[in-house]
Amino acid sequence: MSLKSIVRELKEMRDGIGNMSKRGVESRRWNGRTKSHVAPDITLTSLEPIQQGQWAHLPPELLLDIINRVEESETTWPARAVVVHCGSVCKSWRDVTKEIAKTPEQCGRITFPISLKQPGPRDSPIQCFIRRNRETSTYLLYIGLVPSENETDKLLLAAKKVRRATGTDFIVSLVADDFSRSSNTYVGKLRSNFLGTKFTIYDSQPPHGAAIQQDSGSSRRFHSKQASPRVSAFNYVVGTIAYELNVLRARGPRRMHCTMNSIPVSAIQEGGTAPTPTSFPQVVDKPFSPSPALKGKGPSTDLNNVNLPKLPVSSQGSAEPMVLKNKAPRWHEQLQCWCLNFKGRVTVASVKNFQLVAAVDPSHNVSAAEQEKVILQFGKIGKDIFTMDYRYPLSAFQAFAICLSSFDTKPACE
Protein backbone atom coordinates (compact mmCIF):
# COMPACT_ATOMS: atom_id res chain seq x y z
CA MET A 1 0.00 0.00 0.00
CA SER A 2 1.39 3.41 -0.94
CA LEU A 3 2.05 6.17 1.58
CA LYS A 4 -0.69 8.35 0.07
CA SER A 5 -3.22 5.52 0.50
CA ILE A 6 -2.23 5.12 4.14
CA VAL A 7 -2.61 8.82 4.78
CA ARG A 8 -6.00 8.87 3.04
CA GLU A 9 -7.24 5.98 5.18
CA LEU A 10 -5.91 7.71 8.29
CA LYS A 11 -8.00 10.76 7.49
CA GLU A 12 -11.09 8.64 6.89
CA MET A 13 -10.56 6.70 10.09
CA ARG A 14 -9.99 9.91 12.04
CA ASP A 15 -13.36 11.16 10.86
CA GLY A 16 -14.93 7.84 11.84
CA ILE A 17 -13.49 8.03 15.32
CA GLY A 18 -14.93 11.51 15.61
CA ASN A 19 -18.47 10.12 15.37
CA MET A 20 -17.91 8.14 18.57
CA SER A 21 -16.36 10.71 20.88
CA LYS A 22 -16.82 14.27 22.02
CA ARG A 23 -13.43 15.16 20.67
CA GLY A 24 -14.51 13.96 17.29
CA VAL A 25 -17.12 16.69 17.09
CA GLU A 26 -14.35 19.21 17.37
CA SER A 27 -12.13 17.23 14.99
CA ARG A 28 -14.58 17.72 12.15
CA ARG A 29 -14.51 21.46 12.79
CA TRP A 30 -10.70 21.43 12.73
CA ASN A 31 -10.66 19.52 9.45
CA GLY A 32 -12.65 22.32 7.87
CA ARG A 33 -10.18 24.86 9.22
CA THR A 34 -6.98 23.14 8.17
CA LYS A 35 -6.08 25.93 5.79
CA SER A 36 -6.26 28.71 8.33
CA HIS A 37 -5.43 27.32 11.75
CA VAL A 38 -2.51 25.49 13.32
CA ALA A 39 -3.45 21.95 14.21
CA PRO A 40 -4.65 21.28 17.77
CA ASP A 41 -2.35 19.95 20.47
CA ILE A 42 -4.77 17.72 22.36
CA THR A 43 -3.93 15.84 25.52
CA LEU A 44 -5.47 12.39 25.58
CA THR A 45 -6.88 11.71 29.02
CA SER A 46 -8.53 8.75 30.63
CA LEU A 47 -11.82 10.67 30.58
CA GLU A 48 -12.02 10.35 26.79
CA PRO A 49 -12.63 6.93 25.26
CA ILE A 50 -9.99 6.02 22.68
CA GLN A 51 -11.03 3.98 19.67
CA GLN A 52 -7.89 2.07 18.69
CA GLY A 53 -9.01 0.87 15.26
CA GLN A 54 -7.18 -1.24 12.69
CA TRP A 55 -4.00 0.85 12.68
CA ALA A 56 -3.35 0.73 16.43
CA HIS A 57 -1.46 -2.57 16.45
CA LEU A 58 1.06 -1.97 13.69
CA PRO A 59 4.58 -3.22 14.44
CA PRO A 60 6.56 -0.39 16.11
CA GLU A 61 9.21 -0.40 13.37
CA LEU A 62 6.62 -0.04 10.62
CA LEU A 63 4.75 2.68 12.52
CA LEU A 64 7.96 4.63 13.07
CA ASP A 65 8.85 4.36 9.38
CA ILE A 66 5.40 5.53 8.22
CA ILE A 67 5.31 8.62 10.45
CA ASN A 68 8.95 9.42 9.65
CA ARG A 69 8.16 9.46 5.95
CA VAL A 70 5.07 11.59 6.44
CA GLU A 71 6.97 14.08 8.60
CA GLU A 72 9.82 14.39 6.11
CA SER A 73 7.58 14.77 3.06
CA GLU A 74 5.02 17.27 4.42
CA THR A 75 7.15 20.22 5.49
CA THR A 76 4.83 23.15 4.74
CA TRP A 77 1.25 24.04 5.55
CA PRO A 78 -1.49 23.13 4.75
CA ALA A 79 0.04 19.78 3.71
CA ARG A 80 1.67 19.45 7.14
CA ALA A 81 -1.75 18.86 8.65
CA VAL A 82 -1.22 15.21 7.67
CA VAL A 83 1.38 14.95 10.45
CA VAL A 84 -1.29 16.00 12.93
CA HIS A 85 -3.73 13.46 11.44
CA CYS A 86 -1.19 10.77 12.31
CA GLY A 87 -1.12 11.99 15.89
CA SER A 88 -4.92 11.82 16.06
CA VAL A 89 -5.29 8.12 15.23
CA CYS A 90 -4.73 6.72 18.72
CA LYS A 91 -2.44 7.05 21.72
CA SER A 92 0.38 4.93 20.31
CA TRP A 93 0.41 6.92 17.06
CA ARG A 94 0.32 10.18 18.98
CA ASP A 95 3.27 9.19 21.17
CA VAL A 96 5.37 8.34 18.11
CA THR A 97 4.29 11.51 16.27
CA LYS A 98 5.24 13.73 19.21
CA GLU A 99 8.60 11.99 19.39
CA ILE A 100 9.31 12.48 15.68
CA ALA A 101 7.90 16.01 15.23
CA LYS A 102 10.72 18.16 16.61
CA THR A 103 10.59 21.67 18.04
CA PRO A 104 10.98 24.74 15.77
CA GLU A 105 14.50 25.20 17.13
CA GLN A 106 15.45 21.72 15.95
CA CYS A 107 13.64 21.49 12.61
CA GLY A 108 12.57 25.04 11.75
CA ARG A 109 8.91 24.00 11.35
CA ILE A 110 5.70 24.67 13.29
CA THR A 111 3.49 21.63 13.88
CA PHE A 112 1.47 21.81 17.11
CA PRO A 113 0.15 24.85 19.01
CA ILE A 114 2.85 24.44 21.64
CA SER A 115 5.32 25.24 18.85
CA LEU A 116 4.11 28.85 19.14
CA LYS A 117 5.56 28.98 22.68
CA GLN A 118 8.87 27.34 21.75
CA PRO A 119 12.03 29.15 20.52
CA GLY A 120 12.54 29.53 16.80
CA PRO A 121 15.44 28.02 14.81
CA ARG A 122 19.00 29.20 15.42
CA ASP A 123 20.26 29.27 11.82
CA SER A 124 17.49 30.83 9.74
CA PRO A 125 14.36 32.72 10.85
CA ILE A 126 10.78 31.56 10.54
CA GLN A 127 9.15 33.96 8.10
CA CYS A 128 5.62 35.18 8.83
CA PHE A 129 3.38 38.11 7.98
CA ILE A 130 0.73 40.09 9.84
CA ARG A 131 -2.52 41.29 8.33
CA ARG A 132 -4.16 44.28 10.04
CA ASN A 133 -7.92 44.92 9.91
CA ARG A 134 -8.62 48.51 10.91
CA GLU A 135 -12.39 48.05 11.07
CA THR A 136 -12.29 45.23 13.60
CA SER A 137 -9.00 46.28 15.28
CA THR A 138 -7.63 42.78 14.79
CA TYR A 139 -4.18 41.55 13.78
CA LEU A 140 -3.72 38.09 12.26
CA LEU A 141 -0.34 36.33 12.19
CA TYR A 142 0.22 33.86 9.34
CA ILE A 143 3.18 31.70 8.43
CA GLY A 144 4.65 32.34 4.99
CA LEU A 145 6.64 34.81 2.94
CA VAL A 146 3.70 36.92 1.70
CA PRO A 147 -0.09 36.52 1.52
CA SER A 148 -1.17 33.92 -1.03
CA GLU A 149 -3.61 34.68 -3.82
CA ASN A 150 -5.98 31.82 -2.96
CA GLU A 151 -6.08 32.71 0.76
CA THR A 152 -4.85 29.32 1.99
CA ASP A 153 -2.45 30.89 4.50
CA LYS A 154 -1.97 29.18 7.84
CA LEU A 155 -3.17 31.27 10.78
CA LEU A 156 -0.86 31.04 13.79
CA LEU A 157 -2.15 33.67 16.22
CA ALA A 158 -4.72 36.46 16.30
CA ALA A 159 -4.88 39.63 18.41
CA LYS A 160 -7.56 42.19 19.11
CA LYS A 161 -6.88 45.75 20.20
CA VAL A 162 -8.98 46.89 23.16
CA ARG A 163 -8.71 50.50 24.32
CA ARG A 164 -8.97 51.26 28.03
CA ALA A 165 -9.06 54.50 29.98
CA THR A 166 -5.47 54.02 31.15
CA GLY A 167 -3.95 52.36 28.10
CA THR A 168 -4.43 49.64 25.50
CA ASP A 169 -4.68 45.86 25.61
CA PHE A 170 -3.89 43.45 22.77
CA ILE A 171 -5.61 40.15 23.53
CA VAL A 172 -3.84 37.23 21.83
CA SER A 173 -5.82 34.11 20.90
CA LEU A 174 -5.40 30.92 18.94
CA VAL A 175 -8.44 31.75 16.81
CA ALA A 176 -9.67 34.87 15.05
CA ASP A 177 -13.23 34.82 16.40
CA ASP A 178 -12.83 34.40 20.16
CA PHE A 179 -10.79 36.90 22.22
CA SER A 180 -12.33 36.22 25.62
CA ARG A 181 -9.73 36.01 28.36
CA SER A 182 -11.79 33.26 29.96
CA SER A 183 -11.73 31.16 26.78
CA ASN A 184 -9.62 28.04 26.38
CA THR A 185 -8.12 29.67 23.26
CA TYR A 186 -6.61 32.55 25.25
CA VAL A 187 -2.79 32.66 24.86
CA GLY A 188 -1.77 35.91 26.54
CA LYS A 189 -1.89 39.65 26.11
CA LEU A 190 0.08 42.85 25.69
CA ARG A 191 -0.77 45.84 27.90
CA SER A 192 0.44 49.43 27.43
CA ASN A 193 0.61 52.42 29.71
CA PHE A 194 -1.30 55.65 29.04
CA LEU A 195 1.41 57.21 26.83
CA GLY A 196 2.06 54.03 24.85
CA THR A 197 5.73 54.10 25.82
CA LYS A 198 5.84 50.99 28.04
CA PHE A 199 4.30 47.59 27.39
CA THR A 200 4.06 44.40 29.42
CA ILE A 201 3.79 40.92 27.88
CA TYR A 202 1.59 38.50 29.80
CA ASP A 203 1.58 34.77 29.15
CA SER A 204 -1.33 32.52 30.10
CA GLN A 205 1.08 29.87 31.39
CA PRO A 206 4.19 30.11 33.57
CA PRO A 207 7.60 29.97 31.91
CA HIS A 208 9.01 26.51 31.45
CA GLY A 209 10.40 25.21 34.73
CA ALA A 210 8.69 27.81 36.95
CA ALA A 211 6.30 26.72 39.64
CA ILE A 212 2.66 27.76 39.33
CA GLN A 213 2.00 30.65 41.68
CA GLN A 214 -0.96 29.86 43.91
CA ASP A 215 -2.72 33.21 44.15
CA SER A 216 -6.47 32.76 43.82
CA GLY A 217 -7.02 36.52 43.91
CA SER A 218 -5.32 36.97 40.55
CA SER A 219 -6.46 33.85 38.78
CA ARG A 220 -9.24 33.42 36.28
CA ARG A 221 -12.07 31.41 37.84
CA PHE A 222 -13.29 28.36 35.96
CA HIS A 223 -16.42 26.23 36.14
CA SER A 224 -15.57 22.68 37.08
CA LYS A 225 -17.04 21.35 33.83
CA GLN A 226 -14.41 23.06 31.74
CA ALA A 227 -11.26 22.98 33.83
CA SER A 228 -9.83 21.20 36.79
CA PRO A 229 -10.39 23.17 40.03
CA ARG A 230 -6.98 22.02 41.27
CA VAL A 231 -5.08 24.29 38.87
CA SER A 232 -5.57 28.02 38.41
CA ALA A 233 -4.83 29.93 35.21
CA PHE A 234 -2.77 33.10 35.60
CA ASN A 235 -1.30 35.87 33.51
CA TYR A 236 2.47 35.78 33.96
CA VAL A 237 4.77 38.68 33.15
CA VAL A 238 7.29 37.30 30.67
CA GLY A 239 8.61 40.51 29.14
CA THR A 240 8.51 44.30 29.02
CA ILE A 241 8.97 46.73 26.14
CA ALA A 242 10.07 50.35 26.58
CA TYR A 243 10.15 53.07 23.91
CA GLU A 244 12.37 56.09 24.50
CA LEU A 245 10.65 59.46 24.73
CA ASN A 246 11.38 61.92 21.94
CA VAL A 247 10.78 65.14 23.83
CA LEU A 248 12.82 67.32 21.45
CA ARG A 249 11.12 65.84 18.36
CA ALA A 250 14.48 64.89 16.89
CA ARG A 251 14.52 63.19 13.50
CA GLY A 252 14.98 59.47 13.58
CA PRO A 253 13.23 56.14 14.11
CA ARG A 254 11.75 54.93 17.36
CA ARG A 255 14.17 53.54 19.93
CA MET A 256 13.09 50.53 21.98
CA HIS A 257 14.38 48.03 24.50
CA CYS A 258 12.77 44.66 25.26
CA THR A 259 13.52 42.85 28.51
CA MET A 260 12.58 39.17 28.21
CA ASN A 261 12.12 38.04 31.81
CA SER A 262 11.50 34.44 30.79
CA ILE A 263 14.70 34.13 28.69
CA PRO A 264 18.09 34.26 30.45
CA VAL A 265 20.96 36.05 28.73
CA SER A 266 22.85 32.76 28.92
CA ALA A 267 20.54 31.47 26.16
CA ILE A 268 22.59 33.33 23.54
CA GLN A 269 25.94 32.38 25.02
CA GLU A 270 27.89 29.48 23.58
CA GLY A 271 26.19 26.26 24.63
CA GLY A 272 23.25 28.12 26.13
CA THR A 273 19.63 27.01 25.89
CA ALA A 274 16.31 28.85 26.04
CA PRO A 275 13.26 27.64 28.01
CA THR A 276 11.26 25.25 25.82
CA PRO A 277 7.82 24.18 27.08
CA THR A 278 6.69 20.78 25.84
CA SER A 279 2.96 21.07 26.48
CA PHE A 280 0.29 23.42 27.72
CA PRO A 281 -0.77 23.11 31.35
CA GLN A 282 -4.00 21.20 31.89
CA VAL A 283 -6.10 24.36 32.13
CA VAL A 284 -4.81 25.74 28.86
CA ASP A 285 -4.16 22.50 26.98
CA LYS A 286 -6.52 23.64 24.32
CA PRO A 287 -7.73 23.09 20.81
CA PHE A 288 -7.77 26.02 18.42
CA SER A 289 -11.55 26.24 18.52
CA PRO A 290 -13.79 25.70 21.53
CA SER A 291 -16.43 23.00 21.44
CA PRO A 292 -19.82 24.26 20.19
CA ALA A 293 -21.39 22.79 23.30
CA LEU A 294 -19.11 24.84 25.56
CA LYS A 295 -19.03 28.07 23.57
CA GLY A 296 -20.93 30.72 25.46
CA LYS A 297 -20.72 28.67 28.66
CA GLY A 298 -17.10 29.37 29.43
CA PRO A 299 -15.58 30.05 32.81
CA SER A 300 -16.75 33.07 34.72
CA THR A 301 -14.15 35.80 35.09
CA ASP A 302 -13.86 38.79 37.35
CA LEU A 303 -11.42 41.17 35.65
CA ASN A 304 -12.35 44.35 37.47
CA ASN A 305 -10.02 43.91 40.44
CA VAL A 306 -7.45 41.51 39.04
CA ASN A 307 -3.82 42.14 39.98
CA LEU A 308 -1.78 40.30 37.37
CA PRO A 309 1.02 38.33 39.04
CA LYS A 310 4.65 38.51 38.10
CA LEU A 311 6.87 35.49 37.90
CA PRO A 312 7.69 33.63 41.11
CA VAL A 313 10.64 35.20 42.87
CA SER A 314 12.71 32.05 42.55
CA SER A 315 12.51 32.11 38.75
CA GLN A 316 12.93 35.85 38.38
CA GLY A 317 16.09 36.13 40.43
CA SER A 318 17.77 32.96 39.20
CA ALA A 319 19.22 34.39 35.98
CA GLU A 320 19.80 37.74 34.32
CA PRO A 321 17.13 38.35 31.65
CA MET A 322 17.98 38.84 28.01
CA VAL A 323 17.57 42.39 26.67
CA LEU A 324 16.92 43.28 23.04
CA LYS A 325 17.48 46.66 21.41
CA ASN A 326 16.59 48.00 18.00
CA LYS A 327 19.44 47.99 15.51
CA ALA A 328 20.54 51.52 14.69
CA PRO A 329 19.74 52.51 11.08
CA ARG A 330 21.98 54.63 8.90
CA TRP A 331 21.03 57.89 7.20
CA HIS A 332 20.88 57.65 3.39
CA GLU A 333 21.83 60.98 1.85
CA GLN A 334 20.36 60.30 -1.57
CA LEU A 335 17.06 58.92 -0.32
CA GLN A 336 16.98 61.35 2.61
CA CYS A 337 15.70 58.71 5.02
CA TRP A 338 16.87 56.21 7.62
CA CYS A 339 17.67 52.79 6.16
CA LEU A 340 18.13 49.22 7.38
CA ASN A 341 18.99 46.10 5.38
CA PHE A 342 15.87 43.94 5.60
CA LYS A 343 17.15 41.65 2.82
CA GLY A 344 14.09 42.27 0.67
CA ARG A 345 11.54 41.42 3.35
CA VAL A 346 10.43 45.05 3.88
CA THR A 347 9.52 47.28 0.93
CA VAL A 348 7.63 50.28 2.38
CA ALA A 349 9.18 52.97 4.57
CA SER A 350 7.43 53.21 7.93
CA VAL A 351 8.18 54.38 11.44
CA LYS A 352 7.02 50.95 12.58
CA ASN A 353 9.87 49.10 10.83
CA PHE A 354 12.56 47.73 13.15
CA GLN A 355 15.21 45.06 13.71
CA LEU A 356 16.08 43.75 17.17
CA VAL A 357 19.48 42.47 18.26
CA ALA A 358 20.82 41.40 21.65
CA ALA A 359 21.99 44.15 24.00
CA VAL A 360 24.86 42.61 25.97
CA ASP A 361 27.83 43.65 28.08
CA PRO A 362 31.38 42.38 27.50
CA SER A 363 31.03 40.40 30.73
CA HIS A 364 28.31 38.26 29.12
CA ASN A 365 30.87 36.56 26.82
CA VAL A 366 28.62 36.71 23.77
CA SER A 367 30.41 36.46 20.43
CA ALA A 368 30.41 39.42 18.04
CA ALA A 369 28.58 37.37 15.41
CA GLU A 370 25.82 36.59 17.88
CA GLN A 371 25.52 40.24 18.84
CA GLU A 372 25.03 41.24 15.20
CA LYS A 373 22.45 38.53 14.50
CA VAL A 374 18.94 39.93 13.95
CA ILE A 375 16.62 38.05 16.32
CA LEU A 376 13.41 39.75 15.20
CA GLN A 377 12.60 42.02 12.29
CA PHE A 378 9.29 43.65 11.44
CA GLY A 379 8.31 45.89 8.56
CA LYS A 380 5.67 47.03 6.12
CA ILE A 381 5.22 45.56 2.65
CA GLY A 382 1.80 46.96 1.69
CA LYS A 383 -1.39 48.49 2.99
CA ASP A 384 -2.08 46.79 6.33
CA ILE A 385 0.39 43.98 5.52
CA PHE A 386 3.60 43.55 7.54
CA THR A 387 6.31 40.89 7.65
CA MET A 388 7.58 39.33 10.88
CA ASP A 389 10.70 37.14 10.88
CA TYR A 390 11.87 35.68 14.18
CA ARG A 391 14.49 33.22 15.35
CA TYR A 392 15.98 31.70 18.50
CA PRO A 393 15.61 32.45 21.39
CA LEU A 394 12.23 34.16 20.79
CA SER A 395 9.01 32.20 20.30
CA ALA A 396 6.28 33.12 17.83
CA PHE A 397 4.08 34.40 20.66
CA GLN A 398 6.82 36.60 22.13
CA ALA A 399 7.77 37.98 18.71
CA PHE A 400 4.13 38.68 17.85
CA ALA A 401 3.61 40.54 21.14
CA ILE A 402 6.67 42.74 20.49
CA CYS A 403 5.43 43.55 16.98
CA LEU A 404 1.96 44.41 18.30
CA SER A 405 3.52 47.13 20.44
CA SER A 406 4.53 48.91 17.23
CA PHE A 407 0.88 49.29 16.22
CA ASP A 408 -0.10 51.34 19.27
CA THR A 409 -0.13 55.14 19.05
CA LYS A 410 3.04 56.77 20.45
CA PRO A 411 2.84 60.56 20.15
CA ALA A 412 5.58 61.01 22.75
CA CYS A 413 8.06 58.82 20.83
CA GLU A 414 7.84 60.27 17.34
Side-chain angles (χ1 to χ4, degrees), residues 147-165:
S148 61
E149 295 181 358
N150 53 1
E151 297 185 354
T152 58
D153 304 307
K154 169 62 61 177
L155 178 67
L156 300 180
L157 292 168
K160 185 175 181 63
K161 187 176 183 178
V162 180
R163 296 189 182 278
R164 301 178 296 107

Side-chain angles (χ1 to χ4, degrees), residues 182-374:
S182 60
S183 170
N184 62 349
T185 62
Y186 174 72
V187 176
K189 73 176 181 179
L190 178 74
R191 169 168 288 183
S192 76
N193 64 355
F194 180 74
L195 294 177
T197 57
K198 294 184 179 180
F199 296 80
T200 305
I201 304 173
Y202 295 97
D203 198 333
S204 62
Q205 68 182 99
H208 184 59
I212 294 180
Q213 184 175 348
Q214 298 296 327
D215 184 0
S216 59
S218 58
S219 65
R220 289 177 285 143
R221 295 197 294 272
F222 286 83
H223 291 316
S224 58
K225 289 184 179 180
Q226 187 164 354
S228 170
R230 292 179 289 105
V231 184
S232 298
F234 296 95
N235 282 303
Y236 291 87
V237 178
V238 295
T240 57
I241 307 164
Y243 287 83
E244 294 183 13
L245 293 174
N246 188 6
V247 180
L248 301 178
R249 300 291 180 180
R251 297 174 63 187
R254 296 170 177 170
R255 294 183 177 89
M256 60 189 296
H257 283 81
C258 305
T259 303
M260 308 308 299
N261 298 347
S262 59
I263 304 176
V265 70
S266 60
I268 57 176
Q269 295 173 349
E270 185 176 356
T273 58
T276 306
T278 56
S279 64
F280 287 105
Q282 183 178 359
V283 170
V284 289
D285 194 359
K286 47 207 168 189
F288 269 54
S289 180
S291 168
L294 294 176
K295 198 166 184 179
K297 299 180 181 180
S300 60
T301 310
D302 181 10
L303 297 173
N304 295 326
N305 297 312
V306 172
N307 294 319
L308 297 174
K310 295 186 177 181
L311 301 181
V313 175
S314 59
S315 64
Q316 278 188 316
S318 58
E320 185 178 354
M322 182 186 70
V323 177
L324 302 176
K325 64 179 181 180
N326 62 311
K327 191 173 183 179
R330 63 180 180 83
W331 177 256
H332 198 291
E333 288 293 343
Q334 294 180 340
L335 299 177
Q336 290 294 295
C337 65
W338 296 95
C339 294
L340 279 171
N341 182 12
F342 289 96
K343 298 183 179 180
R345 288 286 288 156
V346 178
T347 57
V348 180
S350 173
V351 70
K352 296 179 176 63
N353 301 346
F354 66 78
Q355 290 180 329
L356 294 186
V357 296
V360 297
D361 294 328
S363 59
H364 291 149
N365 296 322
V366 178
S367 65
E370 194 69 30
Q371 295 181 40
E372 290 296 321
K373 186 178 294 184
V374 176

Side-chain angles (χ1 to χ4, degrees), residues 47 74 177 239 257 299 370 405:
L47 299 178
E74 310 298 349
D177 57 359
H257 283 81
E370 194 69 30
S405 70

Side-chain angles (χ1 to χ4, degrees), residues 128-167:
C128 311
F129 66 91
I130 298 173
R131 187 188 297 274
R132 174 176 60 181
N133 188 321
R134 296 175 184 268
E135 295 182 358
T136 59
S137 298
T138 55
Y139 306 83
L140 307 182
L141 175 67
Y142 297 90
I143 189 169
L145 294 174
V146 293
S148 61
E149 295 181 358
N150 53 1
E151 297 185 354
T152 58
D153 304 307
K154 169 62 61 177
L155 178 67
L156 300 180
L157 292 168
K160 185 175 181 63
K161 187 176 183 178
V162 180
R163 296 189 182 278
R164 301 178 296 107
T166 58

Side-chain angles (χ1 to χ4, degrees), residues 32-220:
R33 292 181 152 197
T34 302
K35 294 183 179 180
S36 60
H37 293 272
V38 172
D41 185 11
I42 314 164
T43 297
L44 298 175
T45 67
S46 59
L47 299 178
E48 296 178 337
I50 302 174
Q51 184 72 23
Q52 293 290 351
Q54 58 179 329
W55 298 100
H57 304 292
L58 286 179
E61 297 81 3
L62 178 59
L63 176 59
L64 188 66
D65 182 61
I66 291 174
I67 299 180
N68 254 323
R69 292 190 182 189
V70 172
E71 205 278 336
E72 291 174 0
S73 62
E74 310 298 349
T75 58
T76 59
W77 287 92
R80 193 160 177 78
V82 176
V83 179
V84 183
H85 293 328
C86 291
S88 303
V89 173
C90 60
K91 188 177 186 301
S92 58
W93 280 64
R94 177 167 179 79
D95 291 341
V96 175
T97 303
K98 291 180 67 176
E99 179 182 348
I100 293 176
K102 303 301 182 182
T103 65
E105 179 185 352
Q106 296 170 319
C107 68
R109 296 188 287 268
I110 293 177
T111 307
F112 298 106
I114 194 60
S115 303
L116 304 174
K117 295 288 188 75
Q118 296 172 337
R122 292 176 181 260
D123 298 330
S124 58
I126 292 181
Q127 296 175 317
C128 311
F129 66 91
I130 298 173
R131 187 188 297 274
R132 174 176 60 181
N133 188 321
R134 296 175 184 268
E135 295 182 358
T136 59
S137 298
T138 55
Y139 306 83
L140 307 182
L141 175 67
Y142 297 90
I143 189 169
L145 294 174
V146 293
S148 61
E149 295 181 358
N150 53 1
E151 297 185 354
T152 58
D153 304 307
K154 169 62 61 177
L155 178 67
L156 300 180
L157 292 168
K160 185 175 181 63
K161 187 176 183 178
V162 180
R163 296 189 182 278
R164 301 178 296 107
T166 58
T168 304
D169 281 357
F170 290 86
I171 311 300
V172 182
S173 173
L174 295 173
V175 296
D177 57 359
D178 186 1
F179 295 97
S180 171
R181 280 167 285 193
S182 60
S183 170
N184 62 349
T185 62
Y186 174 72
V187 176
K189 73 176 181 179
L190 178 74
R191 169 168 288 183
S192 76
N193 64 355
F194 180 74
L195 294 177
T197 57
K198 294 184 179 180
F199 296 80
T200 305
I201 304 173
Y202 295 97
D203 198 333
S204 62
Q205 68 182 99
H208 184 59
I212 294 180
Q213 184 175 348
Q214 298 296 327
D215 184 0
S216 59
S218 58
S219 65
R220 289 177 285 143

